[in-house]
Coordinates of all heavy atoms in Angstrom, one line a residue:
M19 N 3.8 -4.8 -0.2 CA 3.1 -4.8 -1.4 C 2.8 -3.4 -1.9 O 2.8 -3.2 -3.1 CB 1.9 -5.7 -1.3 CG 2.2 -7.2 -1.4 SD 0.7 -8.2 -1.2 CE -0.5 -7.5 -2.4
A20 N 2.4 -2.5 -1.0 CA 2.1 -1.2 -1.4 C 3.3 -0.4 -2.0 O 3.1 0.3 -3.0 CB 1.5 -0.4 -0.2
R21 N 4.4 -0.6 -1.4 CA 5.6 0.0 -2.0 C 5.9 -0.4 -3.4 O 6.3 0.3 -4.3 CB 6.8 -0.2 -1.1 CG 6.8 0.6 0.2 CD 7.9 0.3 1.1 NE 7.8 1.2 2.3 CZ 8.6 1.1 3.3 NH1 9.6 0.3 3.3 NH2 8.4 1.9 4.3
R22 N 5.8 -1.7 -3.6 CA 6.1 -2.3 -4.9 C 5.0 -1.8 -5.9 O 5.3 -1.4 -7.0 CB 6.1 -3.8 -4.9 CG 6.3 -4.4 -6.2 CD 6.3 -5.9 -6.1 NE 7.1 -6.4 -7.3 CZ 7.6 -7.6 -7.3 NH1 7.5 -8.4 -6.3 NH2 8.3 -8.0 -8.4
A23 N 3.7 -1.7 -5.5 CA 2.7 -1.3 -6.3 C 2.9 0.2 -6.7 O 2.6 0.6 -7.8 CB 1.3 -1.5 -5.7
A24 N 3.3 1.0 -5.7 CA 3.6 2.4 -6.0 C 4.7 2.6 -7.0 O 4.6 3.4 -8.0 CB 3.9 3.2 -4.7
R25 N 5.8 1.8 -6.9 CA 6.9 1.8 -7.9 C 6.4 1.4 -9.3 O 6.6 2.0 -10.3 CB 8.0 0.9 -7.4 CG 9.2 1.0 -8.3 CD 10.3 0.0 -8.1 NE 9.7 -1.3 -8.4 CZ 9.7 -2.4 -7.7 NH1 10.2 -2.4 -6.4 NH2 9.2 -3.5 -8.1
D26 N 5.6 0.3 -9.3 CA 5.1 -0.2 -10.6 C 4.1 0.8 -11.2 O 4.2 1.0 -12.4 CB 4.3 -1.6 -10.3 CG 5.3 -2.7 -10.0 OD1 6.5 -2.6 -10.1 OD2 4.8 -3.7 -9.5
L27 N 3.3 1.4 -10.4 CA 2.4 2.5 -10.9 C 3.2 3.6 -11.5 O 2.9 4.1 -12.6 CB 1.5 3.0 -9.8 CG 0.5 4.0 -10.2 CD1 -0.5 3.5 -11.3 CD2 -0.3 4.5 -9.0
R28 N 4.2 4.1 -10.8 CA 5.0 5.2 -11.4 C 5.7 4.8 -12.7 O 5.7 5.6 -13.7 CB 6.1 5.6 -10.4 CG 7.0 6.7 -10.9 CD 8.1 7.1 -9.9 NE 8.8 6.0 -9.3 CZ 9.8 5.3 -10.0 NH1 10.1 5.6 -11.2 NH2 10.4 4.3 -9.4
Q29 N 6.2 3.6 -12.8 CA 6.8 3.1 -14.1 C 5.7 3.0 -15.2 O 6.0 3.3 -16.3 CB 7.5 1.8 -13.8 CG 8.7 1.9 -13.0 CD 9.3 0.6 -12.5 OE1 8.7 -0.5 -12.7 NE2 10.5 0.7 -12.0
A30 N 4.5 2.5 -14.8 CA 3.5 2.3 -15.8 C 3.0 3.7 -16.3 O 2.7 3.9 -17.5 CB 2.3 1.5 -15.2
V31 N 2.9 4.7 -15.4 CA 2.5 6.0 -15.8 C 3.5 6.6 -16.8 O 3.2 7.2 -17.8 CB 2.3 6.9 -14.6 CG1 2.2 8.4 -14.9 CG2 1.0 6.5 -13.8
A32 N 4.8 6.4 -16.5 CA 5.9 6.9 -17.3 C 5.8 6.3 -18.7 O 6.2 7.0 -19.7 CB 7.2 6.7 -16.7
A33 N 5.3 5.1 -18.8 CA 5.3 4.4 -20.1 C 4.0 4.6 -20.9 O 3.9 4.2 -22.0 CB 5.5 2.9 -19.9
T34 N 3.1 5.3 -20.3 CA 1.8 5.6 -20.9 C 1.9 6.7 -21.8 O 2.5 7.8 -21.5 CB 0.7 5.8 -19.8 OG1 0.7 4.7 -18.9 CG2 -0.7 6.0 -20.4
G35 N 1.3 6.6 -23.0 CA 1.4 7.7 -24.0 C 0.4 8.8 -23.8 O -0.6 8.9 -24.5
L36 N 0.7 9.7 -22.8 CA -0.2 10.8 -22.5 C 0.4 12.1 -23.2 O 1.6 12.2 -23.4 CB -0.2 11.0 -21.0 CG -0.8 9.8 -20.2 CD1 -0.5 10.1 -18.7 CD2 -2.3 9.7 -20.4
D37 N -0.5 13.0 -23.4 CA 0.0 14.3 -23.9 C 0.9 15.0 -22.8 O 0.8 14.6 -21.6 CB -1.1 15.2 -24.3 CG -2.0 15.6 -23.1 OD1 -1.5 16.5 -22.3 OD2 -3.1 15.1 -23.0
R38 N 1.7 15.9 -23.2 CA 2.7 16.5 -22.3 C 2.0 17.0 -20.9 O 2.6 16.7 -19.9 CB 3.4 17.6 -22.9 CG 4.5 18.2 -22.0 CD 5.2 19.4 -22.7 NE 6.1 18.8 -23.8 CZ 6.7 19.4 -24.7 NH1 6.6 20.8 -24.7 NH2 7.5 18.8 -25.6
T39 N 1.0 17.8 -21.0 CA 0.4 18.3 -19.8 C -0.2 17.2 -18.9 O 0.1 17.3 -17.7 CB -0.8 19.3 -20.2 OG1 -0.3 20.3 -21.1 CG2 -1.4 19.9 -19.0
T40 N -0.9 16.3 -19.5 CA -1.4 15.2 -18.7 C -0.3 14.3 -18.1 O -0.4 13.9 -17.0 CB -2.4 14.3 -19.6 OG1 -3.4 15.2 -20.1 CG2 -3.1 13.3 -18.8
A41 N 0.7 14.1 -18.9 CA 1.8 13.3 -18.4 C 2.5 13.9 -17.3 O 2.9 13.2 -16.3 CB 2.8 13.0 -19.6
T42 N 2.7 15.2 -17.3 CA 3.4 15.9 -16.2 C 2.5 15.8 -14.9 O 3.1 15.5 -13.9 CB 3.5 17.4 -16.6 OG1 4.4 17.5 -17.8 CG2 4.2 18.2 -15.5
E43 N 1.2 16.0 -15.1 CA 0.4 15.9 -13.9 C 0.3 14.5 -13.4 O 0.4 14.2 -12.2 CB -1.1 16.4 -14.3 CG -2.0 16.3 -13.1 CD -1.7 17.3 -12.0 OE1 -1.1 18.3 -12.2 OE2 -2.2 17.0 -10.9
A44 N 0.2 13.5 -14.3 CA 0.2 12.1 -13.9 C 1.5 11.7 -13.2 O 1.5 11.0 -12.1 CB -0.1 11.2 -15.1
R45 N 2.6 12.1 -13.7 CA 3.9 11.8 -13.1 C 4.0 12.4 -11.7 O 4.5 11.8 -10.7 CB 5.1 12.2 -13.9 CG 5.4 11.3 -15.1 CD 6.7 11.6 -15.7 NE 6.8 13.0 -16.2 CZ 6.5 13.4 -17.4 NH1 6.0 12.5 -18.3 NH2 6.6 14.6 -17.8
A46 N 3.5 13.6 -11.5 CA 3.5 14.3 -10.2 C 2.7 13.5 -9.2 O 3.1 13.3 -8.1 CB 3.1 15.7 -10.3
R47 N 1.5 13.1 -9.6 CA 0.6 12.3 -8.7 C 1.3 11.0 -8.4 O 1.2 10.5 -7.2 CB -0.8 12.1 -9.3 CG -1.6 13.4 -9.5 CD -2.0 14.1 -8.3 NE -1.0 14.8 -7.6 CZ -0.4 16.0 -7.9 NH1 -0.8 16.6 -9.0 NH2 0.6 16.5 -7.2
A48 N 1.8 10.3 -9.4 CA 2.5 9.0 -9.1 C 3.7 9.1 -8.1 O 3.8 8.3 -7.3 CB 2.9 8.4 -10.4
E49 N 4.4 10.2 -8.3 CA 5.6 10.4 -7.4 C 5.1 10.8 -6.0 O 5.6 10.3 -5.0 CB 6.4 11.6 -7.9 CG 7.2 11.1 -9.2 CD 8.0 12.3 -9.8 OE1 8.1 13.4 -9.2 OE2 8.4 12.1 -10.9
E50 N 4.0 11.5 -5.9 CA 3.4 11.8 -4.6 C 2.9 10.6 -3.9 O 3.1 10.4 -2.7 CB 2.2 12.8 -4.8 CG 1.6 13.2 -3.5 CD 0.5 14.2 -3.7 OE1 0.2 14.7 -4.9 OE2 -0.2 14.6 -2.7
I51 N 2.3 9.7 -4.7 CA 1.9 8.4 -4.1 C 3.1 7.6 -3.6 O 3.1 7.1 -2.5 CB 1.1 7.6 -5.2 CG1 -0.3 8.3 -5.5 CG2 0.8 6.2 -4.7 CD1 -0.9 7.9 -6.8
E52 N 4.1 7.5 -4.4 CA 5.2 6.7 -4.1 C 5.9 7.2 -2.8 O 6.3 6.5 -1.9 CB 6.2 6.5 -5.2 CG 7.3 5.6 -4.9 CD 8.2 5.3 -6.2 OE1 8.2 6.1 -7.1 OE2 8.8 4.2 -6.2
T53 N 6.1 8.5 -2.8 CA 6.7 9.2 -1.6 C 5.8 8.9 -0.4 O 6.4 8.6 0.7 CB 6.9 10.7 -1.9 OG1 7.7 10.9 -3.0 CG2 7.4 11.4 -0.7
G54 N 4.5 9.1 -0.5 CA 3.6 8.9 0.6 C 3.7 7.4 1.1 O 3.7 7.2 2.3
V55 N 3.7 6.5 0.2 CA 3.7 5.1 0.7 C 5.0 4.7 1.3 O 5.1 4.0 2.3 CB 3.4 4.2 -0.6 CG1 3.8 2.7 -0.3 CG2 2.0 4.3 -1.0
N56 N 6.1 5.3 0.9 CA 7.4 5.0 1.4 C 7.8 5.8 2.6 O 8.9 5.6 3.2 CB 8.5 5.2 0.3 CG 8.5 4.2 -0.8 OD1 8.3 3.0 -0.5 ND2 8.6 4.6 -2.0
A57 N 6.9 6.7 3.0 CA 7.2 7.5 4.2 C 7.3 6.6 5.5 O 6.6 5.6 5.5 CB 6.1 8.6 4.4
R58 N 8.0 7.1 6.4 CA 8.1 6.3 7.7 C 6.7 6.2 8.3 O 6.4 5.1 8.9 CB 9.0 7.1 8.6 CG 9.7 6.2 9.7 CD 10.8 7.0 10.3 NE 10.4 7.9 11.4 CZ 10.5 7.5 12.7 NH1 11.0 6.4 13.0 NH2 10.1 8.4 13.6
R59 N 5.9 7.2 8.3 CA 4.5 7.1 8.8 C 3.6 7.6 7.6 O 3.3 8.8 7.6 CB 4.4 8.0 10.0 CG 5.3 7.5 11.1 CD 5.1 8.3 12.3 NE 4.0 7.7 13.1 CZ 3.5 8.2 14.2 NH1 3.9 9.4 14.6 NH2 2.6 7.6 14.8
P60 N 3.2 6.7 6.8 CA 2.4 7.1 5.6 C 1.1 7.8 6.0 O 0.4 7.4 6.9 CB 2.1 5.8 4.9 CG 3.2 4.8 5.4 CD 3.5 5.2 6.8
D61 N 0.9 8.9 5.3 CA -0.4 9.6 5.4 C -1.3 9.1 4.4 O -1.4 9.5 3.3 CB -0.1 11.1 5.2 CG -1.3 12.0 5.4 OD1 -2.5 11.4 5.4 OD2 -1.2 13.2 5.4
R62 N -2.1 8.1 4.9 CA -3.0 7.4 3.9 C -4.0 8.3 3.3 O -4.4 8.1 2.1 CB -3.7 6.2 4.6 CG -2.7 5.1 4.9 CD -3.3 3.9 5.6 NE -2.3 3.0 6.0 CZ -2.3 1.7 5.7 NH1 -3.1 1.2 4.8 NH2 -1.3 0.9 6.1
A63 N -4.5 9.3 4.0 CA -5.5 10.2 3.4 C -4.9 11.0 2.3 O -5.5 11.2 1.2 CB -6.0 11.2 4.5
R64 N -3.6 11.4 2.4 CA -2.9 12.1 1.4 C -2.7 11.2 0.2 O -2.9 11.6 -1.0 CB -1.6 12.7 1.9 CG -0.9 13.5 0.8 CD 0.3 14.1 1.4 NE 1.0 14.9 0.4 CZ 2.3 15.3 0.5 NH1 3.0 15.0 1.5 NH2 2.8 16.0 -0.5
V65 N -2.3 10.0 0.4 CA -2.0 9.0 -0.7 C -3.4 8.8 -1.4 O -3.4 8.7 -2.6 CB -1.4 7.7 -0.1 CG1 -1.4 6.6 -1.2 CG2 0.0 8.0 0.4
A66 N -4.4 8.6 -0.6 CA -5.7 8.4 -1.2 C -6.2 9.5 -2.1 O -6.7 9.2 -3.2 CB -6.8 8.2 -0.1
R67 N -6.0 10.7 -1.7 CA -6.3 11.9 -2.6 C -5.5 11.8 -3.9 O -6.1 12.0 -5.0 CB -6.1 13.2 -1.9 CG -7.2 13.6 -0.9 CD -7.0 15.0 -0.3 NE -5.7 15.2 0.3 CZ -5.5 14.9 1.6 NH1 -6.5 14.4 2.4 NH2 -4.3 15.2 2.2
A68 N -4.2 11.6 -3.8 CA -3.3 11.6 -5.0 C -3.7 10.4 -5.9 O -3.7 10.5 -7.1 CB -1.9 11.5 -4.5
L69 N -4.0 9.3 -5.3 CA -4.4 8.1 -6.0 C -5.7 8.3 -6.8 O -5.9 8.0 -7.9 CB -4.5 6.9 -5.1 CG -4.7 5.5 -5.8 CD1 -3.5 5.2 -6.7 CD2 -5.0 4.4 -4.8
E70 N -6.7 9.0 -6.1 CA -8.0 9.3 -6.8 C -7.8 10.3 -7.9 O -8.3 10.1 -9.0 CB -9.0 9.8 -5.8 CG -10.4 10.0 -6.4 CD -11.5 10.3 -5.4 OE1 -11.2 10.3 -4.2 OE2 -12.6 10.6 -5.9
Q71 N -7.0 11.3 -7.6 CA -6.7 12.3 -8.7 C -6.0 11.6 -9.9 O -6.4 11.9 -11.0 CB -5.8 13.4 -8.1 CG -6.4 14.3 -7.1 CD -5.5 15.2 -6.4 OE1 -4.2 15.0 -6.5 NE2 -6.0 16.2 -5.7
L72 N -5.0 10.8 -9.6 CA -4.4 10.1 -10.7 C -5.3 9.2 -11.5 O -5.3 9.2 -12.7 CB -3.2 9.3 -10.2 CG -2.4 8.4 -11.2 CD1 -1.8 9.3 -12.3 CD2 -1.3 7.6 -10.6
T73 N -6.1 8.4 -10.8 CA -7.1 7.5 -11.4 C -8.1 8.3 -12.3 O -8.3 7.9 -13.4 CB -7.8 6.7 -10.4 OG1 -6.8 6.0 -9.6 CG2 -8.7 5.7 -11.0
R74 N -8.6 9.4 -11.8 CA -9.5 10.2 -12.6 C -8.8 10.8 -13.8 O -9.4 10.8 -14.9 CB -10.1 11.4 -11.7 CG -11.1 10.9 -10.7 CD -11.7 12.1 -10.0 NE -12.6 11.6 -8.9 CZ -13.8 11.1 -9.1 NH1 -14.3 11.1 -10.3 NH2 -14.5 10.7 -8.1
L75 N -7.6 11.2 -13.7 CA -6.8 11.8 -14.8 C -6.6 10.7 -15.9 O -6.8 10.9 -17.0 CB -5.5 12.3 -14.3 CG -4.6 13.0 -15.2 CD1 -5.1 14.3 -15.7 CD2 -3.2 13.2 -14.6
L76 N -6.2 9.5 -15.4 CA -6.0 8.4 -16.4 C -7.3 8.0 -17.0 O -7.3 7.6 -18.2 CB -5.3 7.2 -15.7 CG -3.9 7.5 -15.2 CD1 -3.4 6.4 -14.3 CD2 -2.9 7.8 -16.3
A77 N -8.3 7.9 -16.3 CA -9.6 7.5 -16.9 C -10.1 8.6 -17.9 O -10.5 8.2 -19.0 CB -10.7 7.4 -15.8
A78 N -9.9 9.8 -17.6 CA -10.3 10.9 -18.6 C -9.5 10.8 -19.8 O -10.0 11.1 -20.9 CB -10.2 12.3 -17.9
A79 N -8.2 10.4 -19.7 CA -7.4 10.4 -20.9 C -7.5 9.1 -21.6 O -6.9 8.9 -22.7 CB -5.9 10.5 -20.4
G80 N -8.4 8.1 -21.1 CA -8.6 6.9 -21.8 C -7.5 5.9 -21.6 O -7.4 4.8 -22.2
S81 N -6.6 6.2 -20.6 CA -5.4 5.3 -20.4 C -5.7 4.1 -19.6 O -5.0 3.1 -19.7 CB -4.3 6.1 -19.7 OG -3.9 7.1 -20.5
L82 N -6.7 4.1 -18.8 CA -7.0 2.9 -18.0 C -7.4 1.7 -18.9 O -6.9 0.6 -18.7 CB -8.1 3.2 -17.0 CG -7.8 4.1 -15.8 CD1 -9.0 4.3 -14.9 CD2 -6.6 3.5 -15.0
A83 N -8.2 2.0 -19.9 CA -8.6 0.9 -20.8 C -7.5 0.5 -21.7 O -7.3 -0.7 -21.9 CB -9.8 1.4 -21.6
A84 N -6.7 1.4 -22.1 CA -5.6 1.1 -23.0 C -4.4 0.4 -22.4 O -3.8 -0.5 -23.0 CB -5.1 2.4 -23.7
A85 N -4.1 0.8 -21.1 CA -2.9 0.2 -20.5 C -3.2 -1.1 -19.8 O -2.2 -1.9 -19.5 CB -2.3 1.2 -19.5
G86 N -4.4 -1.4 -19.5 CA -4.7 -2.7 -18.9 C -4.1 -2.9 -17.6 O -4.1 -2.0 -16.7
G87 N -3.6 -4.1 -17.3 CA -3.0 -4.5 -16.1 C -1.9 -3.7 -15.6 O -1.6 -3.6 -14.4
A88 N -1.1 -3.1 -16.5 CA 0.0 -2.3 -16.0 C -0.4 -1.2 -15.1 O 0.4 -0.9 -14.2 CB 0.8 -1.8 -17.2
L89 N -1.5 -0.6 -15.3 CA -2.0 0.4 -14.4 C -3.0 -0.1 -13.4 O -3.0 0.2 -12.3 CB -2.7 1.5 -15.2 CG -1.8 2.4 -16.0 CD1 -2.6 3.3 -17.0 CD2 -0.9 3.3 -15.1
I90 N -3.9 -1.0 -13.9 CA -5.1 -1.5 -13.1 C -4.6 -2.2 -11.9 O -5.0 -2.1 -10.8 CB -6.0 -2.3 -13.9 CG1 -6.6 -1.5 -15.1 CG2 -7.2 -2.8 -13.0 CD1 -7.4 -0.3 -14.7
G91 N -3.6 -3.1 -12.1 CA -3.1 -3.9 -11.0 C -2.6 -3.1 -9.8 O -3.0 -3.3 -8.7
P92 N -1.6 -2.2 -10.1 CA -1.1 -1.4 -9.0 C -2.2 -0.5 -8.3 O -2.2 -0.2 -7.1 CB 0.0 -0.5 -9.6 CG 0.4 -1.3 -10.8 CD -0.8 -2.0 -11.3
L93 N -3.1 0.0 -9.2 CA -4.2 0.9 -8.6 C -5.0 0.1 -7.7 O -5.4 0.6 -6.6 CB -5.0 1.5 -9.8 CG -4.4 2.5 -10.6 CD1 -5.2 2.9 -11.8 CD2 -4.1 3.8 -9.8
H94 N -5.4 -1.2 -8.0 CA -6.1 -2.0 -7.2 C -5.4 -2.3 -5.9 O -6.0 -2.3 -4.8 CB -6.5 -3.4 -7.9 CG -7.8 -3.4 -8.6 ND1 -9.0 -3.4 -8.0 CD2 -8.0 -3.3 -9.9 CE1 -9.9 -3.4 -8.9 NE2 -9.4 -3.3 -10.1
T95 N -4.1 -2.7 -6.0 CA -3.3 -3.0 -4.8 C -3.3 -1.8 -3.9 O -3.5 -1.9 -2.6 CB -1.9 -3.4 -5.2 OG1 -2.0 -4.6 -6.1 CG2 -1.0 -3.7 -4.0
L96 N -3.0 -0.6 -4.4 CA -2.9 0.6 -3.5 C -4.3 0.9 -2.9 O -4.3 1.3 -1.7 CB -2.3 1.7 -4.3 CG -0.9 1.6 -4.6 CD1 -0.5 2.6 -5.7 CD2 0.0 1.8 -3.4
A97 N -5.3 0.8 -3.7 CA -6.7 1.1 -3.1 C -7.0 0.1 -2.0 O -7.5 0.5 -1.0 CB -7.7 1.0 -4.2
G98 N -6.6 -1.2 -2.2 CA -6.7 -2.2 -1.1 C -5.9 -1.8 0.1 O -6.4 -2.0 1.3
W99 N -4.7 -1.4 0.0 CA -3.8 -1.0 1.1 C -4.5 0.2 1.8 O -4.3 0.3 3.1 CB -2.5 -0.6 0.5 CG -1.5 0.0 1.5 CD1 -0.8 -0.7 2.4 CD2 -1.1 1.3 1.7 NE1 0.0 0.1 3.2 CE2 -0.2 1.4 2.7 CE3 -1.5 2.5 1.1 CZ2 0.4 2.6 3.2 CZ3 -0.9 3.7 1.5 CH2 0.0 3.7 2.5
L100 N -5.2 1.1 1.1 CA -5.8 2.2 1.8 C -7.1 1.9 2.6 O -7.6 2.7 3.3 CB -6.1 3.3 0.7 CG -5.0 4.0 0.1 CD1 -5.4 4.8 -1.1 CD2 -4.3 4.9 1.1
G101 N -7.6 0.7 2.4 CA -8.8 0.3 3.1 C -10.0 1.1 2.6 O -10.2 1.3 1.4
A102 N -10.8 1.6 3.6 CA -12.0 2.4 3.2 C -11.6 3.6 2.4 O -12.4 4.1 1.6 CB -12.7 2.8 4.5
L103 N -10.4 4.2 2.6 CA -10.0 5.4 1.9 C -9.9 5.1 0.4 O -9.9 6.0 -0.5 CB -8.7 6.0 2.4 CG -8.8 6.6 3.8 CD1 -7.4 6.9 4.3 CD2 -9.7 7.8 3.8
G104 N -9.7 3.8 0.0 CA -9.5 3.4 -1.3 C -10.8 3.1 -2.1 O -10.7 2.9 -3.3
G105 N -11.9 3.1 -1.4 CA -13.2 2.9 -2.0 C -13.5 3.7 -3.2 O -13.9 3.2 -4.3
P106 N -13.3 5.0 -3.2 CA -13.6 5.8 -4.3 C -12.8 5.5 -5.6 O -13.2 5.5 -6.7 CB -13.3 7.3 -3.9 CG -13.5 7.2 -2.4 CD -13.0 5.8 -2.0
V107 N -11.5 5.1 -5.3 CA -10.6 4.7 -6.4 C -11.2 3.4 -7.0 O -11.3 3.3 -8.3 CB -9.2 4.5 -6.0 CG1 -8.3 3.9 -7.1 CG2 -8.6 5.8 -5.5
L108 N -11.5 2.4 -6.2 CA -12.1 1.1 -6.7 C -13.3 1.4 -7.6 O -13.5 0.7 -8.6 CB -12.4 0.2 -5.6 CG -11.1 -0.4 -4.8 CD1 -11.6 -1.2 -3.6 CD2 -10.2 -1.2 -5.8
G109 N -14.1 2.3 -7.2 CA -15.3 2.7 -8.0 C -15.0 3.2 -9.3 O -15.9 3.2 -10.2
L110 N -13.8 3.8 -9.5 CA -13.4 4.3 -10.8 C -12.8 3.3 -11.8 O -12.7 3.6 -13.0 CB -12.4 5.5 -10.6 CG -12.9 6.7 -9.8 CD1 -11.7 7.6 -9.5 CD2 -13.9 7.4 -10.7
L111 N -12.4 2.2 -11.2 CA -11.7 1.2 -12.0 C -12.6 0.3 -12.7 O -13.7 -0.1 -12.2 CB -10.7 0.4 -11.1 CG -9.6 1.2 -10.4 CD1 -8.8 0.3 -9.5 CD2 -8.7 1.8 -11.4
P112 N -12.2 -0.2 -13.9 CA -13.0 -1.2 -14.6 C -13.1 -2.5 -13.8 O -12.1 -2.8 -13.1 CB -12.3 -1.4 -15.9 CG -11.1 -0.6 -15.9 CD -11.0 0.2 -14.6
L113 N -14.2 -3.2 -13.9 CA -14.3 -4.5 -13.2 C -13.3 -5.5 -13.8 O -13.1 -5.5 -15.0 CB -15.7 -5.0 -13.3 CG -16.8 -4.2 -12.6 CD1 -18.2 -4.7 -12.9 CD2 -16.5 -4.1 -11.1
P114 N -12.7 -6.3 -13.0 CA -11.8 -7.3 -13.5 C -12.5 -8.2 -14.5 O -13.7 -8.6 -14.3 CB -11.4 -8.1 -12.3 CG -11.8 -7.4 -11.1 CD -12.9 -6.4 -11.5
G115 N -11.8 -8.6 -15.5 CA -12.3 -9.4 -16.6 C -12.9 -10.6 -16.3 O -13.7 -11.3 -16.9

């Protein structure tokens, strides 16, 4: 599930209408997450840092509210996969409807 969520997140970030600078940073974080999740021995702490950075970036850009489930679903899934390391990300996400 984490691999699929990472792929879905990367695709959702690519489809989000961000300015060039923010989009470049968001794509880099999404790729870092996907690479980390797909690693033979995932470094969950590294994935957690990248996921939190991406979530903060998207929240600051207003994209979390605008994109809805396309971003929120994968973010929730990945935060859950991270266990306790995903707690800070869950705290940044809007509560489910």
Side-chain angles (χ1 to χ4, degrees):
M19 282 180 49
R21 287 179 176 176
R22 181 181 204 158
R25 184 191 69 232
D26 292 348
L27 180 61
R28 182 182 43 80
Q29 291 171 346
V31 165
T34 303
L36 300 169
D37 66 72
R38 181 179 290 171
T39 303
T40 305
T42 299
E43 181 68 20
R45 281 193 303 270
R47 294 295 70 76
E49 289 173 13
E50 183 178 356
I51 292 162
E52 188 170 23
T53 299
V55 168
N56 288 320
R58 204 166 83 100
R59 299 182 88 185
D61 181 346
R62 289 181 188 239
R64 183 175 180 198
V65 172
R67 281 189 301 275
L69 188 64
E70 184 173 353
Q71 291 169 347
L72 176 60
T73 304
R74 288 185 184 282
L75 184 69
L76 294 171
S81 296
L82 289 180
L89 289 172
I90 302 297
L93 290 170
H94 269 284
T95 299
L96 289 164
W99 175 78
L100 290 167
L103 292 171
V107 172
L108 291 174
L110 295 170
L111 297 175
L113 294 174

